[in-house]
DNA sequence: GTGAAAGCGCTAACAC
DNA sequence: GTGTTAGCGCTTTCAC
């Protein structure tokens, strides 16, 4: 591996001069020297040692993406199309901006802290954190941080977040069902914290606007990791007797259930209407195609990276932001108009 | 950020001793000192600076995953379920083995070389390389390298590869169609190099075994990036007049076409049979569920990482390997038995 | 058992 | 315009 020192010796000049040329500070160097150095860099295939540079500069040009995954829920996080699109788009944007990506799936916040501290990561993007984890993270990592889809209590306001109008999206799609005459609607999620909590709130708002009560028995929780399990799926078939529609918190669950219904000979939307959330590939792939709430995951990813880098470059401290990106109703074929 | 030096000063001992304790070389240190150091490490939340460590040790504990993506084909590589599962599983295994993952999507091999050299990556995993790129890479990176799904000419044998029995899989599924009475079969891919070339070979072998000619007009190439394009999809509908089945090189394309046929009122498998390759989520999601060739992507990913680390730890040079993992026929509902 | 010190490759303040 | 030099934080050799 050829070093700056090597090249300086060969050219009989100092490392500073070589370094200056490499960093384009050519105004301080004679044109001739610049040319000689550039040539040698090329000839010898010199590549700067990033570890040395990071050590000297005390920064890393690394952006860490950390996702806390219970390996219980995900055997492989990237199998979830939301995360794979999100991370793929971030990877692209990070590279475009001249940064490096260090991907870190951890099962605890302590691990994340340890990791980012050790690598001296310039900035951190974290997805799907709950309050407790955020507090821990904030206490132990003083670097720049952007959260994705994080809901924190109002008492906390020193954070940057890029989320979604979850409440609004869920309101919209529930209203769409109500407008189509549905009155007995199930709400399906695999938990009721964070994002899904706000989706549930939006759902409730729509019901209330129509003067309908929020019935606890219409909240259907899918046991984590068992969304394909027949005993779980059967419940959906049984509830059709008293429900006319299901609002799902994710396209993935919705698509699974649609297929289950297809296989059982239950016709959609004739016998039951179904809606999703996210508008990912599954929503477009499944038949009938899924009526759902669309979010632009790629835009979210790019915005998160850009905002983070903006913060990194900011001279003075910038205001905190908590952006909730817009959603859109996508009407396809899984909602029936009731008389 | 607390350093070894800080702690040495506080305890009134040398950095060597602190370093020794941190690395578990406790045999050379008195029990009392060990305890004091350990306590301080905990109290101060000491985390080693990885850049400094890498610089001193001249290695990085980083495994680079590089994928050469024409951004033409992929706006987001991870939207492809094959890559997202592959990379997700690798990420998990890499972490499990105590390494770090640096993800790098590049549009040229030169970029990859530059990247891995700069970071002093210990090992490299590269997916989907063609010969030329491999040669370039090999010339410029002398580190340990494992390829994924790479076919190199027989004249080259100094490489490590984890691939698939592509030829066999394609043979199997074509034979399945032939056994079911199909004689006019289209073969669909988006290119005919690398993996897809071998799939085409397997397809041909099956045809020949049945004494059937390989017709060039039955090779259907999908223009890259236009798989959802109606003008492209229409071709498939038209060819039904002379073909009874399509062998697709990927589940993704197969699923798209199935949905197109559904939407056009063309019945599968009654009017035309379809098979896929990979057995990813789409194959299971689409209706009718897709008959396809299954590969275990996660197993492939884990094996690649484990093999790489094995090479990294090997004292002596180890033999090169070129593993082709087994595939399996998965019969679902998209193939009709003719008469 | 413990410590001094050189060095990994690069940067940047400062001197000439 | 160019060079000297002191670090960045850690590892490791060798001496005590």
């Amino acid at each position: 591996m050829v070093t700056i020192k090597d090249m300086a010796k060969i050219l009989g000049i100092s490392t500073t001069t070589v370094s200056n040329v490499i960093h384009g500070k050519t105004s301080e160097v004679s044109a001739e020297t610049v040319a000689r150095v550039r040539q040698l860099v090329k000839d010898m295939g010199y590549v700067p040692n990033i570890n040395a540079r990071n050590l000297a500069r005390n920064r890393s040009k690394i952006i860490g993406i950390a996702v806390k995954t219970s390996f219980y829920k995900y055997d492989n996080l990237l199998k979830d199309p939301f995360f794979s699109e999100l991370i793929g788009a971030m990877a692209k944007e990070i590279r475009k901006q001249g940064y490096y990506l260090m991907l870190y799936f951890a099962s605890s916040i302590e691990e994340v802290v340890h990791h980012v501290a050790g690598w001296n990561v310039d900035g951190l993007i974290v997805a799907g954190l709950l309050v407790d984890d955020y507090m821990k993270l904030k206490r132990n990592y003083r670097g720049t941080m952007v959260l994705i889809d994080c809901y924190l209590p109002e008492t906390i306001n020193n954070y940057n977040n890029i989320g979604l109008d979850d409440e609004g999206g869920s309101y919209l799609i529930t209203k769409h069902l109500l407008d189509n005459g549905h009155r007995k609607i199930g709400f399906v999620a695999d938990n009721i914290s964070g994002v899904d909590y706000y989706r549930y709130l939006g759902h409730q708002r729509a019901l209330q606007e129509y003067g309908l009560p929020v019935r606890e028995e219409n909240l259907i929780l899918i046991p984590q990791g068992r969304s394909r399990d027949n005993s779980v799926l059967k419940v959906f078939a049984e509830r059709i007797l008293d429900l006319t529609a299901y609002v799902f918190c994710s396209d993935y669950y919705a698509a699974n259930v649609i297929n289950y219904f297809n296989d059982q000979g239950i016709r959609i939307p004739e016998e039951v209407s179904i809606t999703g959330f996210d508008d990912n590939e599954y929503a477009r792939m499944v038949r009938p195609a899924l009526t759902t709430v669309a979010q632009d995951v790629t835009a979210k990813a790019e915005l998160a990276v850009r905002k983070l880098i903006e913060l990194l470059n900011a001279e003075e401290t910038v205001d905190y932001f908590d952006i909730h990106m817009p959603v859109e109703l996508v009407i396809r074929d899984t909602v029936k108009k009731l008389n």
Side-chain angles (χ1 to χ4, degrees), chain A:
Chain A
M1 211 69 287
V2 38
T3 70
I4 277 194
K5 220 176 178 177
D6 295 340
M7 303 201 303
K9 195 176 283 175
I10 292 177
L11 294 175
I13 60 180
S14 80
T15 60
T16 310
T17 306
V18 177
S19 173
N20 277 334
V21 174
I22 289 170
H23 291 92
K25 296 181 188 164
T26 51
S27 60
E28 323 203 326
V29 185
S30 76
E32 193 213 326
T33 314
V34 170
R36 288 175 62 212
V37 172
R38 290 230 169 107
Q39 189 57 48
L40 193 65
V41 164
K42 203 178 257 175
D43 290 348
M44 309 200 62
Y46 167 77
V47 177
N49 180 316
I50 301 178
N51 282 304
R53 176 179 288 177
N54 290 347
L55 189 57
R57 284 200 185 150
N58 197 30
R59 57 188 190 65
S60 62
K61 280 258 169 188
I62 300 177
I63 289 181
I65 297 185
V67 185
K68 191 189 159 192
T69 66
S70 59
F71 286 125
Y72 165 65
K73 181 164 180 184
Y74 290 110
D75 67 316
N76 180 340
L77 185 77
L78 292 188
K79 276 190 184 170
D80 180 326
F82 170 75
F83 281 112
S84 55
E85 177 173 355
L86 188 76
I87 291 174
M90 284 181 172
K92 199 174 167 187
E93 184 66 23
I94 286 173
R95 205 174 82 69
K96 197 170 145 199
Q97 305 266 356
Y99 280 77
Y100 300 99
L101 162 59
M102 202 111 210
L103 197 54
Y104 203 70
F105 299 155
S107 43
S108 79
I109 286 301
E110 285 75 13
E111 278 181 60
V112 173
V113 170
H114 202 265
H115 183 260
V116 297
W119 276 104
N120 204 351
V121 186
D122 284 353
L124 190 59
I125 297 178
V126 205
L129 232 48
L130 297 183
V131 204
D132 295 1
D133 287 329
Y134 172 75
M135 300 298 282
K136 271 197 212 162
L137 192 50
K138 191 69 187 175
R139 244 197 318 278
N140 293 293
Y141 175 66
R142 358 100 322 273
T144 312
M145 193 157 86
V146 170
L147 309 173
I148 305 259
D149 286 329
C150 187
Y151 282 97
L152 295 178
E154 292 188 357
T155 48
I156 304 176
N157 53 16
N158 56 343
Y159 64 92
N160 303 301
N161 179 58
I162 312 238
L164 202 65
D165 182 9
D166 293 291
E167 199 271 350
S170 196
Y171 167 81
L172 264 185
I173 203 149
T174 304
K175 193 163 175 309
H176 174 67
L177 285 168
L178 292 164
D179 289 345
N180 277 282
H182 293 269
R183 291 295 177 270
K184 294 172 171 179
I185 306 174
F187 185 90
V188 190
D190 68 356
N191 71 85
I192 210 68
S193 54
V195 159
D196 287 348
Y197 174 68
Y198 284 83
R199 294 187 185 169
Y200 192 40
L201 286 187
H203 175 70
Q204 294 181 3
R205 177 158 66 94
L207 291 180
Q208 281 156 3
E209 214 173 277
Y210 268 71
L212 297 171
V214 176
R215 296 192 193 281
E216 207 179 312
E217 68 267 28
N218 291 352
L219 171 62
I220 303 170
L221 286 177
I222 297 182
Q224 296 206 342
R226 294 183 54 207
S227 64
R228 309 191 83 116
D229 190 323
N230 262 358
S231 67
V232 172
L233 290 167
K234 243 176 83 182
V235 173
F236 290 102
E238 288 162 2
R239 290 298 298 276
I240 295 183
L241 299 175
D242 64 302
L243 297 173
T244 65
Y246 290 108
V247 171
F248 281 85
C249 258
S250 94
D251 287 348
Y252 180 74
Y253 289 143
N256 269 332
V257 169
I258 288 176
N259 276 329
Y260 176 75
F261 282 171
N262 278 335
D263 297 344
Q264 300 293 313
I266 298 172
R267 293 180 346 270
I268 303 162
E270 290 76 11
E271 294 181 62
V272 61
S273 294
I274 287 183
T275 66
F277 209 113
D278 279 350
D279 194 30
N280 62 31
E281 193 75 26
Y282 296 138
R284 274 162 264 151
M285 190 73 89
V286 81
R287 285 297 178 279
L290 187 62
T291 292
T292 190
V293 177
Q295 66 162 312
D296 189 338
V297 177
T298 298
K300 200 191 232 175
E302 289 170 356
L303 186 62
V305 173
R306 278 201 284 266
K307 278 287 187 184
L308 178 59
I309 291 174
E310 206 177 296
L311 290 172
L312 294 178
N313 295 333
E315 302 289 311
E316 310 156 31
T317 50
V318 185
D319 278 351
Y320 292 107
F321 55 82
D322 187 1
I323 299 170
H324 289 257
M325 301 191 70
V327 294
E328 205 174 305
L329 192 59
V330 178
I331 298 178
R332 298 206 181 88
D333 314 319
T334 49
V335 172
K336 179 188 176 192
K337 192 164 180 63
L338 295 184
N339 47 24

